Amino acid sequence: MPQPQPAGFNRKSPIQGRAKQTVATILEATARILTEEGSERLTTNHLARRAGFSIGTIYQYFPNREAIVLALVERQRAEVERRVKAVLAGGEDAGPEARIAQIVRTLHQAFAVHRAPQRRLVQALLRLAATQGIPTPPDTVARAIFTIWRDAKGGRAPGESDVFVLTQSLFETLRQATLQSSPLLGTVDFEEALLRMVFGCLRGASQS
Amino acid sequence: MPQPQPAGFNRKSPIQGRAKQTVATILEATARILTEEGSERLTTNHLARRAGFSIGTIYQYFPNREAIVLALVERQRAEVERRVKAVLAGGEDAGPEARIAQIVRTLHQAFAVHRAPQRRLVQALLRLAATQGIPTPPDTVARAIFTIWRDAKGGRAPGESDVFVLTQSLFETLRQATLQSSPLLGTVDFEEALLRMVFGCLRGASQS
Amino acid sequence: MPQPQPAGFNRKSPIQGRAKQTVATILEATARILTEEGSERLTTNHLARRAGFSIGTIYQYFPNREAIVLALVERQRAEVERRVKAVLAGGEDAGPEARIAQIVRTLHQAFAVHRAPQRRLVQALLRLAATQGIPTPPDTVARAIFTIWRDAKGGRAPGESDVFVLTQSLFETLRQATLQSSPLLGTVDFEEALLRMVFGCLRGASQS
Amino acid sequence: MPQPQPAGFNRKSPIQGRAKQTVATILEATARILTEEGSERLTTNHLARRAGFSIGTIYQYFPNREAIVLALVERQRAEVERRVKAVLAGGEDAGPEARIAQIVRTLHQAFAVHRAPQRRLVQALLRLAATQGIPTPPDTVARAIFTIWRDAKGGRAPGESDVFVLTQSLFETLRQATLQSSPLLGTVDFEEALLRMVFGCLRGASQS
DNA sequence: CATGAATGAGAATTCATTCAT
DNA sequence: TATGAATGAATTCTCATTCAT
């Protein structure tokens, strides 16, 4: 972010860089409020103050309040997606059960955040997501799981309903455990129960 | 307050009767707004107008806005509970699979409301429930299912995690299908997928 | 308050008796609320509930809310007046200083209520009196004091201003001490300081 | 924020200036309402309208309605304090009686406002002060009077009670005279009676 | 680009009082 | 007389958003 520059040279890039930095600062402040003060204190004015900008600046980067929350949710979602993809990519040589177990473990860990602040953030986002028009979890994970299973075990292709049920059962159970701050979250027991449910869906779907 | 009474005497105390009628009218108006106009129009003033009472009357019967929604949710919840109980009570002679299938079907039907207005109401209530401090679905249904299964098949007792996963997978999948107005809702396919998930949980839990 | 009476005889009296009882109950409930819950909870509806009557009944006996408070203030004022009169009547043979000291002591004791509930009531009434159009303390006490002094010591008659200053200095100092829950209230020190002030007014007035 | 500045530079930061101006306008409007319409018309909406701002602006500068009144009371109180301090500072060479008389005269004049509007404002503020948690008059004035007296006449130090009684007798008598719109207020007679009361307190306190 | 003063529709809630029964 | 359901004007305060500087 150099101030004095060769005149007329590449003026855009540093500015874009600053913009990116500003957006990041705003999102960070949003996360901090959600974490430390609760979603009802997430007003645009308060956010501006905590971010160290004026409200006007906030509106320079986001069209409205909702967009800010959406951006934060998206950031979180992308992080989970990234992790799952990493698992899908790696470990091609492991057995199907092991790979599926790994996927479930990854998701579990993404939700089972233990440090209180981070956890409160995830909770707040999940709660806001319910109110606003926030995209549902993608069925890519469920589809990937079905694919791994079929590639190894064969059986018929899963129907729409199978994918839907698996996606929702997996994500929503984790979501609810998080929202309720369930003590089960993070335990081996819980993960195993989840896994049994997943395998139940798989076996059922391919047999019937 | 005995139910069967000498004819011609079957009249509630007029005062209590009026009050009960008023409460019913208020709840009906609430449902109508949620159904026809959306939850963001559910303001106390607007509700009063649509109910045909003054705002003061609303507050004579409910301590605050939230309580009204809560009452409506409770009404709905009680209805589902009633239906599930009926299933649990009857059909003692059918096989375990049949009985469990019946329970799942009942739940499915409770969520798969087809008449648009009623459906919008259920959606609105589910969405409001997420915001407000509304009780999570009871695990009684999941426990009942496990009991039916074990009574017939034996196996180890389900753990906390098993119950939690089954409860959430079942209710949340239905909840999400409803919220998303999924076209799967109400189809045989969907019900079967649900059922496979349930049996997967049961088999997994009793074996491992 | 006899219930069964010779038929057709003096029907008014028992009814008046009941009315008096009702009014008393209402005032008592008012005092209780002021004492136990604070003046901001003194709403007509709440008062009715605590008095065990319906609001309608309250309005049968008082034209409006203000009148209830006024009646209570009046009751309290009458009590103080009664006590001062008793002092003025008795002790004719004591010296003027002693008699005046007795009057001041009586007033002091009337305000220096030590039992918390009673004290809160006096405070609440004083505060309400400030808001509503409630009569100021009568100057009869000040006049009586001046008379006692002149009868013994001679000097010129007190002017309007002298009476006003003495009345206000005396009552308002006590009022403020009560409102502020001053620890001085009730002490010998405080009473002596008050007395010095009173004698200062008297000496000054008769000399100049 | 230096007071004397190079001419032509004596301008507050435009931003602070606007804010200060707005606050002043709001307080002025508050005073105008209290003066012309009475305290029961001092609602936030009405105030906003009369101030020529939107209601939101009012709340940008004051956290709630009470704070507005408080600010006005404070302004008034500061003015009286300023005047009394000026008297205390000046006239060091005059005799103690003369200086005390000057203090009493200053207070008297502060309360004896003759122009009707200003007077109604003082009344309204005094009345509101009784309702809200507004600070009682400071005992600095009474202490100063005692000090002047003792420096000249000697005698024992005044006790807590002496200070309290003098403070309250002085301020509350003036307050009541103002609230009751007493015709005595502003007369020589009244001031003399006040002065006699004050000297009575002084003499009594130092002797006994 | 940044600022932040100003906006104002609209939300929830209160409570003295009335009046049909 | 007594009741208490119903009234509804009025109040305080919030907060997303705009726009002149």
Side-chain angles (χ1 to χ4, degrees):
Chain A
M1 289 142 249
Q3 280 275 318
Q5 266 200 346
F9 175 73
N10 195 9
R11 202 162 146 269
K12 214 168 173 184
S13 168
I15 282 170
Q16 278 204 357
R18 179 137 74 109
K20 211 168 247 176
Q21 179 57 44
T22 303
V23 166
T25 306
I26 292 170
L27 290 184
E28 230 92 278
T30 306
R32 236 179 311 134
I33 291 171
L34 250 23
T35 302
E36 300 167 15
E37 311 182 52
S39 64
E40 70 287 345
R41 300 250 342 167
L42 187 65
T43 68
T44 49
N45 286 291
H46 184 54
L47 168 57
R49 220 173 307 126
R50 283 215 63 172
F53 291 103
S54 80
I55 333 178
T57 303
I58 306 285
Y59 276 87
Q60 213 99 49
Y61 291 97
F62 294 94
N64 53 43
R65 200 189 83 122
E66 196 167 344
I68 303 170
V69 176
L70 237 72
L72 204 58
V73 169
E74 174 52 25
R75 212 169 78 164
Q76 210 80 2
R77 198 202 53 71
E79 171 61 16
V80 172
E81 191 181 324
R82 201 188 51 74
R83 287 202 232 167
V84 172
K85 272 203 179 128
V87 174
L88 290 178
E92 305 263 351
D93 44 336
E97 281 93 349
R99 291 188 70 200
I100 289 171
Q102 176 102 51
I103 294 174
V104 171
R105 168 165 305 121
T106 305
L107 285 178
H108 183 200
Q109 281 168 356
F111 281 87
V113 183
H114 274 304
R115 285 195 317 126
Q118 180 69 6
R119 177 177 214 145
R120 268 198 297 270
L121 175 59
V122 173
Q123 285 185 352
L125 288 179
L126 288 175
R127 218 168 285 128
L128 282 170
T131 316
Q132 304 185 3
I134 277 174
T136 51
D139 53 11
T140 45
V141 174
R143 285 191 193 284
I145 291 176
F146 270 115
T147 305
I148 292 171
W149 184 259
R150 277 187 74 217
D151 285 354
K153 314 275 181 169
R156 69 163 176 80
E160 282 279 298
S161 295
D162 296 301
V163 174
F164 185 87
V165 170
L166 180 52
T167 300
Q168 300 304 330
S169 295
L170 197 49
F171 280 93
E172 290 300 307
T173 302
L174 282 166
R175 200 179 75 99
Q176 283 299 322
T178 304
L179 280 179
Q180 298 170 31
S181 292
S182 168
L184 300 173
L185 206 62
T187 65
V188 179
D189 243 45
F190 182 61
E191 199 169 304
E192 283 175 0
L194 265 179
L195 212 47
R196 282 195 290 275
M197 185 271 288
V198 172
F199 285 128
C201 288
L202 293 172
R203 245 177 277 128
S206 54
Q207 281 165 12
S208 69
Chain B
M1 284 146 244
Q3 282 276 311
Q5 266 197 348
F9 203 74
N10 193 352
R11 186 154 42 99
K12 291 155 198 155
S13 115
I15 283 163
Q16 271 216 10
R18 177 135 75 121
K20 212 168 246 177
Q21 180 55 47
T22 302
V23 167
T25 306
I26 292 170
L27 289 184
E28 232 96 277
T30 306
R32 234 180 312 134
I33 290 171
L34 250 23
T35 302
E36 300 166 15
E37 311 184 51
S39 64
E40 69 286 346
R41 299 243 2 171
L42 188 65
T43 70
T44 50
N45 284 297
H46 184 54
L47 169 57
R49 220 171 309 125
R50 284 219 60 175
F53 287 104
S54 87
I55 178 68
T57 301
I58 307 286
Y59 279 89
Q60 202 120 60
Y61 293 98
F62 296 94
N64 51 44
R65 200 188 81 122
E66 194 164 315
I68 303 169
V69 175
L70 237 74
L72 206 57
V73 169
E74 174 52 26
R75 215 166 78 163
Q76 211 80 1
R77 196 201 55 71
E79 171 61 16
V80 172
E81 190 181 324
R82 201 188 52 71
R83 287 202 231 163
V84 171
K85 272 205 179 124
V87 174
L88 290 176
E92 305 261 354
D93 45 335
E97 281 92 347
R99 292 189 68 204
I100 290 170
Q102 176 101 54
I103 293 173
V104 172
R105 168 166 305 120
T106 304
L107 285 177
H108 184 199
Q109 283 169 354
F111 281 85
V113 183
H114 274 303
R115 285 196 315 125
Q118 179 69 6
R119 176 176 215 146
R120 267 199 296 271
L121 175 57
V122 173
Q123 284 185 354
L125 288 179
L126 287 175
R127 217 168 287 128
L128 283 170
T131 314
Q132 304 184 5
I134 278 173
T136 51
D139 54 10
T140 43
V141 173
R143 286 190 193 284
I145 291 176
F146 271 113
T147 306
I148 293 172
W149 183 260
R150 276 187 75 217
D151 285 353
K153 313 275 180 170
R156 70 166 176 81
E160 281 277 301
S161 294
D162 296 302
V163 174
F164 185 87
V165 169
L166 181 51
T167 300
Q168 300 304 331
S169 295
L170 198 48
F171 278 95
E172 290 299 308
T173 302
L174 281 165
R175 201 178 76 99
Q176 284 299 324
T178 304
L179 281 178
Q180 298 170 30
S181 292
S182 167
L184 301 172
L185 205 61
T187 65
V188 179
D189 242 46
F190 182 62
E191 197 169 305
E192 283 175 0
L194 263 180
L195 211 47
R196 282 195 291 275
M197 184 271 289
V198 172
F199 285 128
C201 287
L202 293 172
R203 244 176 281 129
S206 54
Q207 281 166 12
S208 70
Chain C
M1 289 143 245
Q3 280 275 316
Q5 266 201 347
F9 175 72
N10 195 8
R11 202 162 147 269
K12 215 167 176 185
S13 170
I15 283 172
Q16 279 205 354
R18 177 138 75 111
K20 211 168 246 177
Q21 179 56 44
T22 303
V23 166
T25 306
I26 292 170
L27 290 185
E28 230 93 279
T30 306
R32 235 178 313 135
I33 291 172
L34 251 23
T35 302
E36 299 166 16
E37 310 183 52
S39 64
E40 70 286 345
R41 300 249 343 166
L42 186 65
T43 68
T44 50
N45 284 291
H46 183 54
L47 168 57
R49 218 173 309 127
R50 285 216 62 173
F53 291 103
S54 79
I55 333 177
T57 303
I58 306 284
Y59 277 86
Q60 213 99 52
Y61 291 97
F62 294 92
N64 53 41
R65 200 188 84 122
E66 196 167 342
I68 303 170
V69 175
L70 238 72
L72 203 58
V73 170
E74 174 52 24
R75 210 168 80 165
Q76 209 80 1
R77 198 202 53 71
E79 171 61 16
V80 172
E81 190 179 325
R82 201 189 50 73
R83 287 203 231 163
V84 172
K85 274 207 177 122
V87 174
L88 289 177
E92 304 262 353
D93 44 338
E97 280 93 350
R99 292 189 68 202
I100 289 169
Q102 176 99 53
I103 294 173
V104 170
R105 166 166 304 120
T106 304
L107 285 178
H108 183 200
Q109 283 169 353
F111 280 86
V113 183
H114 275 304
R115 286 194 318 126
Q118 180 69 7
R119 177 176 215 146
R120 268 198 296 271
L121 175 58
V122 172
Q123 284 184 355
L125 288 179
L126 287 175
R127 219 168 286 127
L128 282 170
T131 315
Q132 303 185 5
I134 277 173
T136 52
D139 53 11
T140 43
V141 174
R143 286 190 194 284
I145 290 176
F146 271 115
T147 305
I148 293 172
W149 182 260
R150 275 187 77 218
D151 285 354
K153 312 275 182 169
R156 70 166 177 81
E160 282 278 298
S161 295
D162 295 302
V163 173
F164 185 87
V165 170
L166 181 51
T167 300
Q168 300 303 332
S169 295
L170 198 48
F171 279 94
E172 289 300 307
T173 301
L174 282 165
R175 200 179 76 99
Q176 283 300 323
T178 304
L179 280 178
Q180 298 171 29
S181 292
S182 167
L184 300 173
L185 206 63
T187 64
V188 179
D189 243 45
F190 182 62
E191 198 169 305
E192 284 176 356
L194 264 180
L195 211 48
R196 281 194 292 275
M197 185 270 289
V198 171
F199 284 127
C201 287
L202 294 171
R203 244 177 280 128
S206 54
Q207 279 165 15
S208 71
Chain D
M1 286 144 241
Q3 280 277 314
Q5 268 196 346
F9 204 76
N10 193 353
R11 187 156 40 100
K12 290 155 200 155
S13 115
I15 283 162
Q16 272 216 9
R18 177 134 77 123
K20 211 167 247 176
Q21 179 56 43
T22 302
V23 168
T25 306
I26 292 170
L27 290 184
E28 232 95 277
T30 307
R32 235 180 313 135
I33 291 171
L34 251 25
T35 302
E36 300 168 14
E37 311 183 52
S39 65
E40 70 287 345
R41 299 243 3 173
L42 187 66
T43 70
T44 51
N45 283 302
H46 184 54
L47 169 57
R49 219 172 308 123
R50 284 218 60 174
F53 287 104
S54 87
I55 177 70
T57 300
I58 307 287
Y59 279 89
Q60 202 122 61
Y61 294 98
F62 296 94
N64 52 44
R65 200 189 81 123
E66 194 165 314
I68 304 169
V69 175
L70 237 73
L72 207 56
V73 169
E74 173 54 25
R75 215 167 79 161
Q76 212 78 3
R77 197 202 54 70
E79 172 61 16
V80 171
E81 190 180 324
R82 201 187 52 73
R83 286 203 231 165
V84 172
K85 270 204 180 127
V87 174
L88 290 176
E92 305 263 351
D93 45 336
E97 280 93 348
R99 292 189 68 201
I100 290 170
Q102 175 101 53
I103 294 174
V104 172
R105 167 164 306 119
T106 304
L107 285 178
H108 183 200
Q109 282 169 355
F111 281 86
V113 183
H114 274 304
R115 285 194 316 125
Q118 179 69 7
R119 177 176 214 146
R120 267 197 298 270
L121 175 58
V122 173
Q123 284 184 354
L125 288 179
L126 288 174
R127 216 168 287 126
L128 282 170
T131 314
Q132 304 185 2
I134 278 174
T136 51
D139 53 11
T140 43
V141 173
R143 284 191 195 282
I145 291 177
F146 270 115
T147 304
I148 292 172
W149 182 260
R150 274 187 78 217
D151 285 354
K153 314 277 181 170
R156 70 166 176 79
E160 281 278 299
S161 295
D162 296 303
V163 173
F164 186 87
V165 169
L166 180 51
T167 299
Q168 300 303 332
S169 296
L170 198 49
F171 279 93
E172 290 299 308
T173 301
L174 281 166
R175 201 178 76 98
Q176 284 299 324
T178 304
L179 281 177
Q180 299 170 29
S181 293
S182 166
L184 300 173
L185 203 64
T187 64
V188 180
D189 242 44
F190 182 60
E191 198 169 304
E192 282 175 1
L194 265 180
L195 211 49
R196 281 194 292 276
M197 184 271 287
V198 172
F199 283 126
C201 287
L202 293 171
R203 245 176 278 128
S206 55
Q207 280 165 13
S208 70

